[in-house]
Amino acid sequence: MAFQKAVKGTILVGGGALASVLGLSQFAHYRRKQVNLAYVQAAECVSEPVNREPPSREAQLLSLQNTAEFDILVIGGGATGCGCALDAVTRGLKTALVERDDFSSGTSSRSTKLIHGGVRYLQKAIMKLDIEQYRMVKEALHERANLLEIAPHLSAPLPIMLPVYKWWQLPYYWVGIKLYDLVAGSNCLKSSYVLSKSRALEHFPMLQKDKLVGAIVYYDGQHNDARMNLAIALTAARYGAATANYMEVVSLLKKTDPHTGKERVSGARCKDVLTGQEFDVRAKCVINATGPFTDTVRKMDDKNAAAICQPSAGVHIVMPGYYSPESMGLLDPATSDGRVIFFLPWQKMTIAGTTDTPTDITHHPIPSEEDINFILNEVRNYLSCDVEVRRGDVLAAWSGIRPLVTDPKSADTQSISRNHVVDISESGLITIAGGKWTTYRSMAEDTINAAIKTHDLKAGPSRTVGLFLQGGKDWSPTLYIRLVQDYGLESEVAQHLAATYGDKAFEVAKMASVTGKRWPIVGVRLVSEFPYIEAEVKYGIKEYACTAVDMISRRTRLAFLNVQAAEEALPRIVELMGRELNWDDYKKEEELETARKFLYYEMGYKSRSEQLTDRSEISLLPSDIDRYKKRFHKFDADQKGFITIVDVQRVLESINVQMDENTLHEILNEVDLNKNGQVELNEFLQLMSAIQKGRVSGSRLAILMKTAEENLDRRVPIPVDRSCGGF
C-alpha cells in the first residue's frame, strides 16, 4: 500500500532559522510577499461560477445518474470532503460529491468554532525542536488568514485571554505568544499584548481574581462551522460540482486495468437515503473523506486494510452569554488532567470545551454527564466565586468525534499523527484523514494533487487560495443596515442574516413574511429570544435542507444554542417545511419525533432532563419546605395534592395575567415527571431542591409560581387595626 503524508510549508529551512538569517523585518516582508503572490495567482486563474444559484437537489441527482464518468468522486460532505470537491471543480475537473447524511452533520458542525494555528503545538515544536510541528503551525496560520479572507461574513478575529496566576509564567507565556505572532508574520490578525491584573478584570470581570498576576491576550479566528461547511458545498455546486446529501455509498465499483491487469476503484454504488433508489456513479478517481468513518470505506476497498483511525470524543457545552464577555475568550492551558479548555463567546452564548477521550465510532455521538461535569468544574476554577456555575445553566451539549489517525509507515504504528495523511491504496482509492478544520483547504489541495498524479488527470494547480465562498464576495460590515432600511427588519435579525448568509441575505429578506405590526414590518421569528425567522426555513430548502434536524442544527444553529428553544420552534419548522416539500401528516409526525430524539440524545436534552427525575432526592431545610408548600397550596386551593393547568390559569386570572393554554401545558410538562398532566407536591419540591443545588435553572414553572405568589401577597388587605381604625 502506498502511503503519502501531506505536509505544507518551507522544506529546507524553518521560519525561525530563516528569520535569524534575514532579520525580523526582512523575514516579515518575505512572508508578506509570498502570501500576496499566492492570492494573486489564485485570483487570476479562477473564472466565475457557472451557476448563479446552486442547482436543486433533484437536478444534482440527475447529474449524478446521467454523467457517464466523473474525474473525481468525493465520499463525505464534511469540511474536508467539500473542500476537495471545490478544489477539484475549480481546476476544471468533472466533480461529484455524495454525503450519507447532511453536509456538516458530523464532526465539522461540532467543533470549538475556532480557526486557529495551534498555539500549544508551537510550544511543543519549540520545546522538542520538532520541525514537523512548526510547519503544521505555520500552515494553519496561513490557512487561518485565508479563511477569514474568503468568508468574512462567517468568521472574525477573536481575542483570547490567557490568565496568569504565577509571576514566573508571565514572561514564559509572553515569549511563547509573541513567537506565535512572529510565525504568523503578515498573517498575524492583531498583535498580542499583556494586561495588568486590574485591566484583565476590566476586560473579563467574572474572572477569578485571587492570586491573579495579570493576563496575556492573543488573537485567533472564530467562525460558524456548520454554515462555513455549507458555504463550501454551495460554492462547489455553483462552480459545477454535482453535490448531493443523503446519498449513501453502498459499495465501491471496480474494473480491471487493461495495462496492469489489477483491479482499480472506478466509482461507487449509491443509494438515495430519502427514496431508497440506487444507481452507480462512475469516476476515474474516488476520494474517501469520511472523517471518523475513514476505515469503513477503506474496508469496502480492501477488507484486510489495517485501521488507521483512532476516534476521540470532544464534548462542548453551551451556557448563557453572561458567563463571558461579549468579545473576549479564555484559554485554560493546563486543566486538572492536563487538557486544554476554551471558554468562548459565540452567537451571544458561551461555549466551553473540549474534552479528549477515546470513543467508539457512531453516527450519533452523545455527550456524557461525566464530560459535562468535568468542563463545569474546570470553568469554576477560573471564574469568580461570585459567579455560581450551575449545571442547570447548560443550555445544550454535544459530542464530536475527532478522527485522529496513525501512520502505517511509521516505525511505531500506534503513534498518532499530528497532521493529516493522504493514503493511496493498491486499487487507487485515495483517503484523506486527520488534520483539523482550519487546514481543510490545504488538506483538499494535497488530496487533489495526489489524485491528479496517481490517476493521470489533466488539471493545473490549486486555485482556492483567495477564492470567496458563497456570501462573502459583496459582504460588508454595514450590509445589515440596508436590510433594515430596505425591508423593515429588526436590527438584530438583519445583523444575523448578514452574518449568516452574507450578500445572499437579501434573498432571505425577500421571502420574509409581513408581521402585521408597525415594527418590524417583516421577519416573523421562530422563537422570540433568537433572531431566526420563518423565511430561513424556506430558504434552507434551497440550501439542500431535507429534514427538520437539518434546519434546527445546521441551517440555523438553534439546537446548538438552546435545546428547549429548538424544541419549541420544531412544530412551526415542520409545518413550513411540510408546506414546501409536500409532506403528509404521517411524514410531519415522523420528522417531529426524529428531531426530538436528536435533541434529547445528541444535543444534551437527556442529560439536562435527568437533573430532575422521579429519583431525585429532596434536600431542603424544613423552613424551605414550609415556604414552598405554602407557595404550592396557593395554586392547589382544593388541597388535592397536585396542580393542573386549570389551577395555574385560575391564579393567573386573579392577578390579571393571560397566558396561552398550549404554553401553560409546555410549562407544566417540563416538571411533570409522571407525564399524567399534573404536578404533584413531591415533584414541585424536587424541582425547588434541584434549583437550589444548581442542577436546574430557568424553570418557567418555578419563576411563574414565585411571581404569582408575590403579586397575590401584594393584594392582601391591610388590617383596620393597623391603619388607625380607618381614620
Side-chain angles (χ1 to χ4, degrees):
M1 179 183 292
F3 186 86
Q4 177 184 358
K5 178 173 289 188
V7 180
K8 304 283 289 179
T10 306
I11 303 297
L12 299 178
V13 60
L18 189 60
S20 63
V21 173
L22 297 178
L24 293 181
S25 61
Q26 287 178 294
F27 175 64
H29 176 72
Y30 164 80
R31 288 298 309 280
R32 191 178 301 111
K33 184 177 179 182
Q34 193 179 46
V35 171
N36 289 343
L37 182 62
Y39 274 85
V40 170
Q41 289 174 341
E44 288 176 348
C45 292
V46 180
S47 60
E48 286 297 310
V50 295
N51 300 304
R52 183 179 179 276
E53 297 297 331
S56 67
R57 183 173 182 272
E58 290 71 23
Q60 298 285 44
L61 292 179
L62 286 173
S63 179
L64 287 172
Q65 291 180 70
N66 297 332
T67 301
E69 185 180 49
F70 289 95
D71 294 317
I72 298 280
L73 169 61
V74 182
I75 306 173
T80 305
C82 291
C84 287
L86 180 58
D87 190 282
V89 76
T90 50
R91 296 194 200 200
L93 295 170
K94 193 178 295 183
T95 305
L97 179 145
V98 292
E99 160 59 41
R100 193 193 74 89
D101 204 313
D102 184 29
F103 301 115
S104 191
S105 58
T107 308
S108 294
S109 64
R110 303 170 190 238
S111 73
T112 314
K113 322 303 180 194
L114 283 178
I115 310 170
H116 63 99
V119 67
R120 65 183 185 275
Y121 297 128
L122 181 61
Q123 179 191 22
K124 293 177 182 177
I126 296 169
M127 299 297 289
K128 298 180 180 180
L129 299 177
D130 189 333
I131 189 66
E132 182 187 340
Q133 294 249 23
Y134 169 77
R135 287 172 181 159
M136 183 175 68
V137 174
K138 189 167 70 171
E139 174 193 45
L141 288 169
H142 175 268
E143 294 302 322
R144 180 188 71 176
N146 182 66
L147 196 49
L148 290 167
E149 176 78 17
I150 64 177
H153 58 304
L154 292 169
S155 58
L158 176 71
I160 300 176
M161 180 183 291
L162 199 161
V164 179
Y165 289 91
K166 295 179 181 177
W167 280 107
W168 67 267
Q169 291 178 331
L170 200 58
Y172 174 77
Y173 286 142
W174 184 82
V175 170
I177 294 297
K178 277 300 174 186
L179 283 172
Y180 192 58
D181 290 350
L182 179 63
V183 173
S186 62
N187 293 323
C188 181
L189 302 180
K190 291 185 181 181
S191 188
S192 57
Y193 55 91
V194 177
L195 291 174
S196 65
K197 176 179 178 177
S198 60
R199 290 298 304 279
L201 292 172
E202 277 182 36
H203 286 282
F204 211 117
M206 56 284 294
L207 196 62
Q208 171 67 262
K209 61 187 72 173
D210 295 341
K211 298 182 180 179
L212 181 68
V213 172
I216 299 169
V217 176
Y218 73 98
Y219 285 80
D220 260 329
Q222 188 179 53
H223 69 154
N224 187 338
D225 54 1
R227 292 294 318 182
M228 185 75 79
N229 193 157
L230 187 63
I232 301 167
L234 294 170
T235 306
R238 290 182 63 206
Y239 275 95
T243 59
N245 53 354
Y246 293 99
M247 289 296 298
E248 180 179 9
V249 170
V250 178
S251 61
L252 295 177
L253 305 177
K254 291 189 177 183
K255 66 179 181 181
T256 303
D257 188 325
H259 301 293
T260 63
K262 294 182 178 180
E263 278 197 328
R264 304 286 284 176
V265 173
S266 60
R269 180 74 175 175
C270 297
K271 176 183 177 181
D272 187 337
V273 175
L274 302 178
T275 65
Q277 180 188 10
E278 291 190 14
F279 54 86
D280 293 339
V281 179
R282 300 199 173 272
K284 296 173 184 175
C285 171
V286 176
I287 294 173
N288 171 20
T290 53
F293 302 96
T294 291
D295 290 322
T296 303
V297 177
R298 291 177 72 247
K299 289 180 185 296
M300 284 184 185
D301 173 40
D302 176 7
K303 63 182 180 180
N304 297 316
I308 63 171
C309 185
Q310 294 191 12
S312 172
V315 171
H316 295 80
I317 63 174
V318 170
M319 306 175 78
Y322 55 70
Y323 271 96
S324 65
E326 191 172 331
S327 58
M328 179 73 76
L330 184 76
L331 166 65
D332 180 354
T335 63
S336 56
D337 66 352
R339 290 182 280 192
V340 172
I341 288 285
F342 285 97
F343 194 62
L344 309 167
W346 184 70
Q347 302 282 306
K348 298 188 177 179
M349 296 294 183
T350 302
I351 287 182
T354 176
T355 61
D356 186 10
T357 52
T359 186
D360 295 325
I361 295 175
T362 173
H363 288 288
H364 306 289
I366 299 172
S368 71
E369 187 63 26
E370 181 183 359
D371 283 333
I372 291 172
N373 282 321
F374 166 78
I375 296 171
L376 288 173
N377 287 333
E378 295 303 324
V379 168
R380 288 187 185 101
N381 292 336
Y382 270 80
L383 295 190
S384 167
C385 57
D386 296 334
V387 180
E388 184 184 357
V389 180
R390 305 180 296 180
R391 173 61 182 83
D393 282 337
V394 177
L395 304 175
W398 67 85
S399 176
I401 300 178
R402 186 183 178 198
L404 304 175
V405 291
T406 55
D407 182 349
K409 289 289 185 180
S410 172
D412 176 11
T413 57
Q414 297 302 309
S415 62
I416 295 176
S417 173
R418 291 180 292 257
N419 210 312
H420 61 273
V421 294
V422 177
D423 173 39
I424 307 170
S425 75
E426 292 290 338
S427 60
L429 174 69
I430 295 181
T431 295
I432 171 67
K436 57 184 178 179
W437 226 120
T438 308
T439 57
Y440 86 90
R441 193 213 62 82
S442 62
M443 291 166 64
E445 179 182 343
D446 293 334
T447 305
I448 302 304
N449 285 343
I452 291 169
K453 182 178 180 181
T454 303
H455 294 273
D456 195 27
L457 303 175
K458 305 303 178 186
S462 176
R463 300 171 177 178
T464 51
V465 173
L467 177 67
F468 279 106
L469 300 183
Q470 172 153 310
K473 187 174 182 181
D474 295 321
W475 175 87
S476 72
T478 57
L479 182 146
Y480 79 95
I481 297 175
R482 289 171 55 198
L483 292 171
V484 175
Q485 293 176 336
D486 294 353
Y487 295 94
L489 288 161
E490 290 175 86
S491 181
E492 184 186 16
V493 171
Q495 288 176 16
H496 153 67
L497 293 181
T500 302
Y501 304 95
D503 56 30
K504 299 293 181 183
F506 296 99
E507 296 179 19
V508 185
K510 289 174 186 176
M511 297 180 178
S513 303
V514 176
T515 64
K517 302 176 183 178
R518 185 185 63 80
W519 188 264
I521 298 171
V522 300
V524 178
R525 295 194 183 208
L526 289 168
V527 282
S528 59
E529 67 266 43
F530 289 95
Y532 301 108
I533 60 174
E534 291 183 354
E536 293 180 78
V537 178
K538 187 175 180 180
Y539 191 79
I541 294 170
K542 292 180 64 176
E543 295 182 324
Y544 306 132
C546 299
T547 70
V549 172
D550 297 345
M551 201 64 68
I552 61 174
S553 59
R554 294 173 287 273
R555 301 310 180 280
T556 70
R557 305 311 306 273
L558 260 179
F560 283 80
L561 295 170
N562 189 314
V563 287
Q564 286 184 297
E567 186 183 40
E568 185 181 325
L570 264 178
R572 182 57 178 161
I573 288 173
V574 169
E575 181 185 341
L576 291 167
M577 291 190 75
R579 191 183 302 165
E580 295 294 320
L581 298 173
N582 298 316
W583 289 346
D584 58 22
D585 290 342
Y586 176 80
K587 175 63 175 175
K588 290 178 185 177
E589 194 59 40
E590 183 182 53
E591 285 292 323
L592 273 173
E593 185 62 25
T594 301
R596 283 170 178 154
K597 283 183 178 178
F598 170 78
L599 292 173
Y600 188 73
Y601 291 105
E602 296 184 51
M603 289 291 111
Y605 214 155
K606 180 175 184 289
S607 293
R608 181 181 173 88
S609 65
E610 284 179 349
Q611 299 309 302
L612 181 63
T613 69
D614 54 7
R615 297 181 297 276
S616 300
E617 61 180 16
I618 298 173
S619 55
L620 295 168
L621 295 173
S623 58
D624 288 333
I625 292 177
D626 289 341
R627 178 159 54 94
Y628 294 136
K629 278 184 176 179
K630 289 178 182 177
R631 181 176 301 171
F632 184 85
H633 289 311
K634 286 184 185 293
F635 286 77
D636 181 23
D638 302 328
Q639 302 294 306
K640 303 182 299 294
F642 61 85
I643 58 176
T644 64
I645 290 177
V646 174
D647 295 316
V648 178
Q649 279 180 326
R650 176 181 51 79
V651 174
L652 293 180
E653 286 173 3
S654 72
I655 57 174
N656 298 318
V657 174
Q658 299 293 324
M659 189 167 288
D660 177 69
E661 186 173 331
N662 290 331
T663 304
L664 279 175
H665 178 74
E666 289 176 6
I667 291 173
L668 261 70
N669 195 49
E670 292 173 6
V671 187
D672 179 14
L673 304 175
N674 301 322
K675 302 304 176 188
N676 57 2
Q678 57 195 37
V679 175
E680 298 166 4
L681 175 60
N682 192 57
E683 291 173 324
F684 180 67
L685 293 176
Q686 287 176 32
L687 170 65
M688 302 313 297
S689 178
I691 289 173
Q692 276 200 7
K693 289 181 178 179
R695 295 202 311 263
V696 171
S697 66
S699 168
R700 292 187 285 179
L701 180 65
I703 295 170
L704 183 66
M705 291 178 72
K706 181 182 179 182
T707 304
E709 181 187 44
E710 290 171 349
N711 277 281
L712 287 171
D713 289 344
R714 289 195 198 103
R715 296 181 60 181
V716 174
I718 300 174
V720 175
D721 61 346
R722 293 186 59 194
S723 60
C724 301
F727 292 100

